[in-house]
Amino acid sequence: MNDILDGVRDHYRATGLAERLKTALAAFGPDNQQLTPEQLATVDQFHTRGLAATADLAKLIGISADMSVLDVGSGVGGPARFLAATYGCRVTGVDLSEPFVDAARYLTKRTGQSERVSFEAASALDLPFEDGRFDVVLLQHVAMNIAERPLLYREIRRVLKPGGKFAMFDVVLNGEAEPLYPVPWARTPETSFLLTAAATRDAIEAAGFRTLASQDDTAAAKAWNAQLRASGPPPSPNLGLVMGPDFAQLVANLARSLMEGRLGILTAVFEAASTKT
Ligand SMILES: C[S@@+](CC[C@H](N)C(=O)[O-])C[C@H]1O[C@@H](n2cnc3c(N)ncnc32)[C@H](O)[C@@H]1O
């Protein structure tokens, strides 16, 4: 198990990321000038359809200012900052990658949100929170890296209040065919653990959840990829800064895997049952 976590950490190693972001963000103005979550969206929303996907998922959940939200596998923190800025809620992010957590804290200082948004380095399989702490848990493009799905979903259920919402947005298998590696979450199959949409929902329900909404977002992802290709070189800074110079290739392989029907995109929202199973 630790070998898998080490492999995932290695994939997201991002050495010196906060410093590199600092240099790249000089293009937006001096260090003491506050940035908006929208300005950072090309570099801090690490999933298909970027900021639009986070905004759509948030609408599906129904978030209010009095809620406490946990973002599991929070990356460099774009979704957490967007939710706090848009809804006024408190957001905590946890991520396996320490450089990502450092970068998330740095970017949150730059958007002036450190009072309401915080990050911790931790594994999704051993969340450092007491039972029933959160109203909402978010999981965007993270489950693909996690072999122990029953444990992942049980941990999420544990930290949610009864009646709390769990919203997920993940890449899923369509059938037997594997993705074309390397992809954005794994350069080799050793750190990729995909399930079909049906198997994902089954695993989540088995952990004590009821499905509230479930939609196939594959067509929207394909359209977004086509638009990206047509619009030429990406704006700067972008996720290449976070993941390295092969990032364009990783995204192209994901797009091809979607086009060839190997992969799909699932969005779903669940409610935590009032008693644990
Ligand atoms: C593709 S990125 C998505 C980041 C973020 N959710 C977003 O949408 O911007 C996947 C993230 O999941 C994190 N991750 C993978 N496995 C994890 C685990 N077992 N525990 C915590 N974080 C994990 C990675 O470190 C990485 O930041």
Side-chain angles (χ1 to χ4, degrees):
M1 191 64 236
N2 283 339
D3 288 354
I4 293 176
L5 294 185
D6 286 346
V8 172
R9 267 193 206 97
D10 192 49
H11 177 71
Y12 298 108
R13 64 187 169 275
T15 312
L17 180 57
E19 266 314 302
R20 289 186 284 116
L21 281 165
K22 188 172 177 179
T23 306
L25 293 175
F28 291 138
D31 256 15
N32 57 1
Q33 187 175 304
Q34 197 161 305
L35 299 170
T36 65
E38 285 75 15
Q39 277 179 302
L40 298 176
T42 55
V43 78
D44 73 2
Q45 299 279 337
F46 191 171
H47 49 257
T48 317
R49 289 205 306 115
L51 183 58
T54 302
D56 288 351
L57 191 61
K59 275 192 203 135
L60 207 57
I61 305 166
I63 296 181
S64 52
D66 57 347
M67 286 181 172
S68 180
V69 178
L70 174 66
D71 187 9
V72 174
S74 44
V76 294
R81 285 184 291 275
F82 172 80
L83 295 184
T86 309
Y87 297 98
C89 54
R90 301 190 76 83
V91 188
T92 305
V94 294
D95 201 281
L96 201 56
S97 163
E98 291 199 3
F100 277 21
V101 169
D102 286 347
R105 288 177 179 147
Y106 169 69
L107 293 176
T108 304
K109 245 187 242 151
R110 293 293 307 267
T111 58
Q113 292 176 286
S114 301
E115 296 272 289
R116 227 179 295 160
V117 182
S118 62
F119 298 93
E120 286 184 41
S123 167
L125 301 174
D126 187 15
L127 294 170
F129 307 108
E130 72 274 16
D131 295 4
R133 156 99 177 258
F134 297 98
D135 299 288
V136 170
V137 174
L138 205 71
L139 186 78
Q140 291 194 101
H141 281 43
V142 178
M144 303 97 79
N145 280 130
I146 297 186
E148 289 192 86
R149 294 296 186 95
L151 178 55
L152 168 69
Y153 300 131
R154 279 203 308 273
E155 267 299 86
I156 291 174
R157 170 65 193 86
R158 183 183 67 74
V159 300
L160 265 176
K161 293 176 182 162
K165 305 257 182 77
F166 167 40
M168 53 132 312
F169 173 58
D170 265 310
V171 180
V172 291
L173 279 182
N174 268 341
E176 301 286 301
E178 284 291 311
L180 301 162
Y181 291 99
V183 282
W185 64 93
R187 290 185 172 86
T188 68
E190 278 68 48
T191 48
S192 181
F193 306 96
L194 296 165
L195 297 179
T196 61
T200 302
R201 279 189 301 264
D202 286 351
I204 293 171
E205 289 187 350
F209 288 97
R210 183 169 75 88
T211 303
L212 297 178
S214 175
Q215 64 196 44
D216 178 349
D217 277 335
T218 312
K222 285 182 186 169
W224 185 75
N225 283 325
Q227 200 187 330
L228 270 192
R229 246 195 335 270
S231 59
S236 203
N238 58 64
L239 281 159
L241 182 75
V242 176
M243 291 302 291
D246 64 346
F247 191 67
Q249 182 58 47
L250 310 187
V251 172
N253 282 345
L254 170 57
R256 256 187 71 201
S257 301
L258 289 166
M259 290 311 289
E260 291 181 10
R262 294 164 183 267
L263 301 179
I265 304 283
L266 173 67
T267 297
V269 179
F270 302 85
E271 184 183 52
S274 40
T275 50
K276 284 183 212 167
T277 52

